[in-house]
Amino acid sequence: KAGVTQTPRYLIKTRGQQVTLSCSPISGHRSVSWYQQTPGQGLQFLFEYFSETQRNKGNFPGRFSGRQFSNSRSEMNVSTLELGDSALYLCASSFATGRNTEAFFGQGTRLTVV
Amino acid sequence: AQSVTQLDSQVPVFEEAPVELRCNYSSSVSVYLFWYVQYPNQGLQLLLKYLSGSTLVKGINGFEAEFNKSQTSFHLRKPSVHISDTAEYFCAFYSGGYQKVTFGIGTKLQVIP
């Protein structure tokens, strides 16, 4: 079966712009989580959506937002981009939350802000 | 506070030598533990997980990890590494109380031929 698909793979934006990243989870998975990965900070949790509801949120400013659609596809939006937003953004999907959860990761979207 | 500490940011090791990547966690509630591997320009892939039962967990690619509750550790080991094991390894835990996965900062394993 198809894995987690993130689009686009690479993106270059200028400061002040906004960007939308997309994540299509594995079929049947209802939970989608987003992470920001940078060399200095490692993997930082952004938020998690389950059945179109944001269930958990990390410690990021309000410029970072997301949503999930009825087909479980998720989008992440970053407004007023800053240079420090340059990172690899990873999406992970899972069938359900709880002890038997295994998160499957996409290949990520590498965002460069110039 | 919920946290994961990976004690080594980089670990160089010669090919066919054993390796141990260290991971300690801090949590006030029961957790489930994971190790993920990330190859260059790729997402993360699950290596192994501990949910309950035997504290020694075997995963893919010959890796294993041992859960030690008293030391709150979940160290990853491989008896003989290969060049293809060069990657970044992340320790993580899931806390049911918070319903989210917390990742460590990662350990870069460099296998030297």
Side-chain angles (χ1 to χ4, degrees), chain B residues 43-113:
Chain B
L44 276 69
Q45 178 184 3
L46 183 70
L47 267 180
L48 48 79
K49 59 184 176 182
Y50 171 79
L51 303 179
S52 64
S54 173
T55 56
L56 184 62
V57 180
K58 294 191 183 298
I60 63 172
N61 301 341
F63 283 93
E64 63 181 32
E66 186 156 21
F67 170 59
N68 187 318
K69 188 174 181 179
S70 62
Q71 297 185 7
T72 60
S73 67
F74 190 55
H75 300 333
L76 180 70
R77 301 186 185 102
K78 186 170 182 178
S80 175
V81 296
H82 188 265
I83 291 288
S84 60
D85 293 324
T86 295
E88 190 159 16
Y89 293 79
F90 293 89
C91 180
F93 74 82
Y94 173 83
S95 168
Y98 292 86
Q99 291 185 320
K100 71 172 187 178
V101 179
T102 301
F103 284 86
I105 201 163
T107 297
K108 290 183 179 174
L109 174 63
Q110 183 185 4
V111 180
I112 305 164

Side-chain angles (χ1 to χ4, degrees), chain B residues 11-22:
Chain B
V11 174
V13 61
F14 286 103
E15 194 174 14
E16 297 184 7
V19 69
E20 178 180 83
L21 304 184
R22 296 179 292 170

Side-chain angles (χ1 to χ4, degrees), chain A residues 9-55:
Chain A
R9 286 293 311 277
Y10 301 93
L11 205 50
I12 300 176
K13 290 286 190 179
T14 56
R15 277 183 301 174
Q17 285 188 310
Q18 74 162 16
V19 67
T20 299
L21 312 182
S22 179
C23 172
S24 293
I26 291 172
S27 178
H29 285 194
R30 295 166 65 188
S31 171
V32 173
S33 297
W34 288 90
Y35 296 85
Q36 181 194 66
Q37 185 178 21
T38 56
Q41 299 293 320
L43 274 164
Q44 301 289 314
F45 173 75
L46 279 155
F47 28 66
E48 184 221 358
Y49 286 87
F50 184 82
S51 294
E52 301 180 65
T53 301
Q54 186 183 87
R55 205 152 62 151

Side-chain angles (χ1 to χ4, degrees), chain A residues 37 56 98-99 102 105-107, chain B residues 38 42-43 51 94 98-99:
Chain A
Q37 185 178 21
N56 230 320
R99 68 191 303 273
E102 175 183 341
F105 283 82
Q107 291 189 303
Chain B
Q38 185 179 33
Q42 299 291 321
L51 303 179
Y94 173 83
Y98 292 86
Q99 291 185 320

Side-chain angles (χ1 to χ4, degrees), chain A:
Chain A
K1 57 182 177 182
V4 178
T5 303
Q6 290 188 248
T7 56
R9 286 293 311 277
Y10 301 93
L11 205 50
I12 300 176
K13 290 286 190 179
T14 56
R15 277 183 301 174
Q17 285 188 310
Q18 74 162 16
V19 67
T20 299
L21 312 182
S22 179
C23 172
S24 293
I26 291 172
S27 178
H29 285 194
R30 295 166 65 188
S31 171
V32 173
S33 297
W34 288 90
Y35 296 85
Q36 181 194 66
Q37 185 178 21
T38 56
Q41 299 293 320
L43 274 164
Q44 301 289 314
F45 173 75
L46 279 155
F47 28 66
E48 184 221 358
Y49 286 87
F50 184 82
S51 294
E52 301 180 65
T53 301
Q54 186 183 87
R55 205 152 62 151
N56 230 320
K57 190 175 189 302
N59 189 26
F60 276 81
R63 301 185 295 108
F64 292 82
S65 62
R67 59 178 176 169
Q68 187 180 33
F69 302 95
S70 58
N71 61 359
S72 292
R73 189 177 71 85
S74 178
E75 288 182 347
M76 190 192 92
N77 184 275
V78 188
S79 63
T80 320
L81 284 165
E82 301 176 359
L83 295 178
D85 296 332
S86 295
L88 180 67
Y89 289 88
L90 291 165
C91 163
S93 80
S94 62
F95 180 70
T97 58
R99 68 191 303 273
N100 290 317
T101 290
E102 175 183 341
F104 293 83
F105 283 82
Q107 291 189 303
T109 295
R110 185 164 295 282
L111 171 65
T112 303
V113 182
V114 298

